[in-house]
Amino acid sequence: MSERDVMEYDVVTVGAGPAGLAFAIRLKQLKPEARVCVIEKAAAVGAQILSGAVIEPAPLDALLPDWRKTPPPVCVPVRHDEFWWLRNPRKALRMPTPPQMHNAGNFIVSLGALCAWLAPQAEALGVEIYPGFAAAEPLFDAQGAVTGVRIGDMGVARDGSHKASYTQGIDIKAALTVLGEGCRGSLSKHLIARYGLDRGADPQTYGIGLKELWQLPAGRGEPGKVVHTLGWPLDPATYGGSFMYHLDGDRLAIGFVVGLDYRDPMFSPWEAFQQFKQHARVQPLLDGGQILSAGARALVEGGYQSLPKVEMPGALLIGDAAGLLNVPKIKGTHQAMRSAMLAAEHVAAQGYGSSGWDARLRASAVVGELRRVRNIRPGFHKGLWLGLANAGWETALGGRSPWTLRNHADHAQLARVDAQQSPPRDYVPRSLPPRDRLASVYFAATEHDEDQPVHLQVADTGICVGRCATEYANPCTRFCPAGVYEMVADAAGKRLQINAANCVHCKTCDIKDPYQIINWVAPEGGSGPNYQNL
């Protein structure tokens, strides 16, 4: 094995999302001489970014004051908010829009397109951006401090041998490593555990967000209209709801979010999303339209209680890698960018070290916003109606309740099949595309070389065919939105089949697996979904 090539920088940022790019831009604005590198596992910046997304523009105003003169390609001012309770497949009741969800002054965007638009702004300042560079592992010095990242090798066969196209990954070394990987980043997860950064914090909690971009028939769209719903097809014990954001050109961003603390092992978030589309208020909007793009992504919901320490020797966490999403607002982009800009200001003032970043973030408006809403999401652990009542109480008090509700690990909330009777569901026949999960994967344009190591590592497949089959009826075959996991029977008996090429990198399996034996690692750089305007 030859010695690896090394690239050296002052700062290496992992992830070209809104946090990573905002950090790089702000640091170069303040410290033009800084050598800054951003690496991104997707083949192109923005290709694996998925969010609703309605954004608050204040952080963008602060970062790039003239951005409205040449806005991102998908950017529609919000003109109208609606909030509906879907009582059953046919009936709906319009409700007052919760205060946190008022969107006056906000913009509907494609977050992937926004990041692709931000990247040239960073490069113009001298930031080096490398898409297709998947960080495989962190690097450490003799004292255990992070000193950069190792890029995964390319051209490795499924059996571990080297193909003719083999290229050894390089080491990117830096005085400071900034982790902006987003929700459940593979390096962030490893480093949080290594340094015990979550010691004293509640377990992190998550949701899964599923989204489709539709082209509606001409004249059916209402640009700037924002609609959220709760209720059907979810039962009152399951947290979640939908969004419908009307873009220009009769395009509609439609999606569904389900908290991964759900109990029913037979539940499928993907099927719930497809059922929602059949509701009497939704189906007529979509009928005759076509899907342009589709995908899924986990989102971080733990908030204030689950915030880990965000600094470690040689590295720091920003954005959703730190868990800064504001769940009641259903927004995280403004938090990601604000935290990133604050981190850049900290680094510019203190030098290329992480010391003091945790205290600075916790004293900031970013964490202050999370603290005010800390009790709203966990209030739904007792069901929809108590959750709504608690949300009203917390909103009225501005988060000044003298208590803090606790979070619990999502995988531990799943009930065993012998302890939970799956509730009857008033599901209806489906007529809208896609017909199944494999058809949905097509719209994600996901691509992995079949002859590469499986990036979904299952520590003990014997558990899958034994205990998990008996206790939970293999929930991975239902919670995965891409049909990655299958239980198949052959001459040797039942076995787990991993269709890794289907993976859309949502990380749900890494989170919801009840035995925590699935480990999602980055596949070969450039592999994965190629989202268009999601």
Side-chain angles (χ1 to χ4, degrees), residues 370-431:
L370 292 184
R371 192 179 192 285
R372 286 192 296 275
V373 299
R374 71 192 183 283
N375 288 328
I376 293 181
R377 172 61 181 94
F380 285 89
H381 290 329
K382 298 297 184 182
L384 175 63
W385 306 118
L386 284 176
L388 289 174
N390 175 72
W393 166 269
E394 291 291 336
T395 300
L397 289 186
R400 291 187 291 274
S401 296
W403 57 77
T404 296
L405 302 179
R406 310 319 311 180
N407 289 327
H408 309 281
D410 292 327
H411 72 272
Q413 306 310 301
L414 200 64
R416 291 169 47 141
V417 290
D418 59 0
Q420 163 102 5
Q421 187 72 33
S422 293
R425 297 191 177 93
D426 50 351
Y427 281 2
V428 299
R430 294 198 281 109
S431 61

Side-chain angles (χ1 to χ4, degrees), residues 83-411:
F83 188 71
W84 291 84
W85 169 38
L86 306 186
R87 299 172 60 187
N88 57 43
R90 297 160 301 281
K91 296 182 179 180
L93 177 66
R94 185 168 178 181
M95 302 174 67
T97 300
Q100 297 93 344
M101 295 168 68
H102 288 168
N103 285 296
N106 294 337
F107 292 83
I108 307 169
V109 302
S110 156
L111 195 59
L114 175 66
C115 291
W117 173 85
L118 279 172
Q121 323 283 332
E123 290 174 321
L125 293 170
V127 177
E128 296 181 29
I129 301 177
Y130 296 106
F133 275 42
E137 59 183 292
L139 301 172
F140 303 97
D141 65 15
Q143 289 71 44
V146 178
T147 58
V149 296
R150 174 163 293 169
I151 303 303
D153 297 346
M154 305 281 282
V156 179
R158 195 180 184 97
D159 63 5
S161 63
H162 294 176
K163 296 184 283 189
S165 60
Y166 175 76
T167 304
Q168 190 178 51
I170 63 174
D171 286 348
I172 300 182
K173 294 190 174 181
L176 179 67
T177 300
V178 177
L179 297 161
E181 296 179 288
C183 175
R184 194 74 168 193
S186 51
L187 263 63
S188 301
K189 184 180 79 165
H190 173 74
L191 291 171
I192 288 170
R194 178 186 176 100
Y195 292 106
L197 302 181
D198 55 354
R199 193 179 300 121
D202 285 357
Q204 189 57 265
T205 64
Y206 302 87
I208 177 173
L210 305 112
K211 181 181 178 182
E212 296 170 357
L213 179 66
W214 279 68
Q215 180 66 57
L216 303 178
R220 199 174 288 177
E222 301 179 55
K225 182 178 180 179
V226 167
V227 180
H228 292 97
T229 77
L230 53 76
W232 190 87
L234 300 179
D235 62 78
T238 304
Y239 179 82
S242 82
F243 61 86
M244 289 180 284
Y245 302 153
H246 289 250
L247 303 171
D248 53 8
D250 289 304
R251 293 178 297 173
L252 178 76
I254 181 169
F256 203 75
V257 177
V258 177
L260 286 177
D261 59 347
Y262 68 81
R263 289 185 53 78
D264 181 8
M266 308 306 292
F267 177 70
S268 165
W270 186 87
E271 179 59 32
F273 176 32
Q274 302 309 316
Q275 285 289 314
F276 158 73
K277 287 160 50 181
Q278 298 294 148
H279 191 275
R281 286 197 61 87
V282 182
Q283 192 267 346
L285 178 66
L286 302 176
D287 196 28
Q290 60 178 335
I291 301 175
L292 302 177
S293 187
R297 187 70 171 94
L299 54 153
V300 61
E301 294 187 345
Y304 180 79
Q305 297 90 313
S306 299
L307 182 66
K309 188 176 181 181
V310 294
E311 67 180 64
M312 66 205 90
L316 53 84
L317 300 167
I318 57 175
D320 276 359
L324 302 178
L325 178 82
N326 183 322
V327 176
K329 280 188 176 182
I330 324 179
K331 292 179 182 64
T333 303
H334 69 293
Q335 290 279 87
M337 294 185 70
R338 283 198 300 178
S339 69
M341 293 159 64
L342 188 67
E345 291 161 8
H346 181 78
V347 171
Q350 303 294 326
Y352 302 117
S354 58
S355 179
W357 167 235
D358 186 75
R360 183 159 185 175
L361 180 66
R362 289 177 190 273
S364 73
V366 176
V367 173
E369 180 174 313
L370 292 184
R371 192 179 192 285
R372 286 192 296 275
V373 299
R374 71 192 183 283
N375 288 328
I376 293 181
R377 172 61 181 94
F380 285 89
H381 290 329
K382 298 297 184 182
L384 175 63
W385 306 118
L386 284 176
L388 289 174
N390 175 72
W393 166 269
E394 291 291 336
T395 300
L397 289 186
R400 291 187 291 274
S401 296
W403 57 77
T404 296
L405 302 179
R406 310 319 311 180
N407 289 327
H408 309 281
D410 292 327
H411 72 272

